[in-house]
Amino acid sequence: RHTEYLPGDLIDGVNQVLCELGRGAGSVVYRVTNEPLGQELALKLVTDAGDAYDAAEEYRLLQAAPSAHIPRAHWLGRLTQPDGSVIPYLLLDLVEGERLSDILARGAVPPQQALAWADDLLDALQALHSAGATGALHRDVKAENVVVGPGGAILVDFGTARESTNAGAAPEGSLRTTPPDLASTGWQPQADVFAVACVVYHLLAGRPPWPVTPIAGVEPPSLLNEAVGIDIAAQARHHA
């Protein structure tokens, strides 16, 4: 399979590679210049789709969720390999900025900034949860999947997103930003919102709400302390 591209290479004849932006277990993302559109975009090349992933579904969900805080999907393409297999790719908005996880590594941020980014993420979720006929769920909201740039906070990496009616079984146990009762309730929009709340807590306190994973019946430490400032509740009311 030809999945490695260097600067100057063409993907599908019209996407000139500028550089590699990153890679994960099942995909590589390149910065490309798309000739027909005449602009720089991100090209997500799906190298290993896995059993649950469908590039066409990700494309449809992004198309159906218009928000300034979700990357637009411009094209769904397919590359035919010499062995006859097909590799899908998506052309997406090029999201430039810094990963929120890198910002968090430096500590807490001012309350007003944290609340502004929270607004951005909730705007993204509102669009996603209202997408199409049934809505969709991101299912992996975390600081690593948020990029902060000139346009605010952008929610990225929709590889695990699913239509609400096809969200699948909830995993046993919990990840750091998933509700502790997820295994019994199943995937619901509230799980995405809970994850945003965990991210915002981390922004305000400079640490995650729980050391490892959320624990049923155990509340995280209050934000009303010297680490954040006792005016956080007033700040939230004013921002609302």
Side-chain angles (χ1 to χ4, degrees):
R1 283 189 162 195
H2 184 195
T3 59
E4 300 291 332
Y5 293 91
L6 299 175
D9 289 347
L10 287 177
I11 299 178
D12 211 10
V14 294
N15 301 293
Q16 184 175 37
V17 175
L18 300 176
C19 65
E20 180 181 314
L21 293 174
R23 61 178 59 218
S27 65
V28 184
V29 181
Y30 295 98
R31 184 178 188 138
V32 302
T33 298
N34 178 265
E35 182 181 337
L37 295 178
Q39 65 185 96
E40 293 186 10
L41 298 170
L43 187 150
K44 176 181 177 180
L45 185 64
V46 182
T47 56
D48 184 6
D51 295 333
Y53 176 76
D54 181 357
E57 181 177 9
E58 180 177 358
Y59 176 77
R60 289 193 299 268
L61 290 180
L62 291 174
Q63 283 272 301
S67 167
H69 304 288
I70 291 177
R72 290 175 298 168
H74 296 269
W75 183 256
L76 171 64
R78 294 177 174 85
L79 300 177
T80 301
Q81 301 297 290
D83 62 1
S85 63
V86 175
I87 298 179
Y89 71 88
L90 293 130
L91 279 177
L92 308 169
D93 277 345
L94 182 63
V95 179
E96 299 191 87
E98 187 176 13
R99 292 277 174 172
L100 188 57
S101 52
D102 294 332
I103 294 174
L104 283 170
R106 299 194 292 269
V109 304
Q112 284 290 75
Q113 182 63 83
L115 294 171
W117 290 341
D119 272 356
D120 295 343
L121 295 177
L122 292 175
D123 181 89
L125 289 186
Q126 183 176 29
L128 186 63
H129 293 169
S130 304
T134 62
L137 309 178
H138 187 279
R139 305 197 312 163
D140 196 22
V141 177
K142 57 186 179 183
E144 291 81 359
N145 289 339
V146 177
V147 176
V148 176
I154 311 295
L155 184 61
V156 299
D157 197 348
F158 286 76
T160 61
R162 297 290 182 274
E163 292 182 352
S164 297
T165 55
N166 187 38
E172 293 296 327
S174 297
L175 303 177
R176 175 166 279 179
T177 60
T178 54
D181 59 349
L182 184 62
S184 60
T185 63
W187 286 104
Q188 299 179 17
Q190 295 92 320
D192 282 346
V193 177
F194 180 92
V196 169
C198 290
V199 170
V200 174
Y201 183 103
H202 197 163
L203 284 168
L204 293 169
R207 63 179 185 276
W210 290 272
V212 182
T213 60
I215 303 171
V218 177
E219 294 186 2
S222 173
L223 286 174
L224 304 182
N225 59 35
E226 66 279 1
V228 177
I230 60 173
D231 64 340
I232 183 60
Q235 292 273 10
R237 286 194 298 271
H238 172 75
H239 197 76

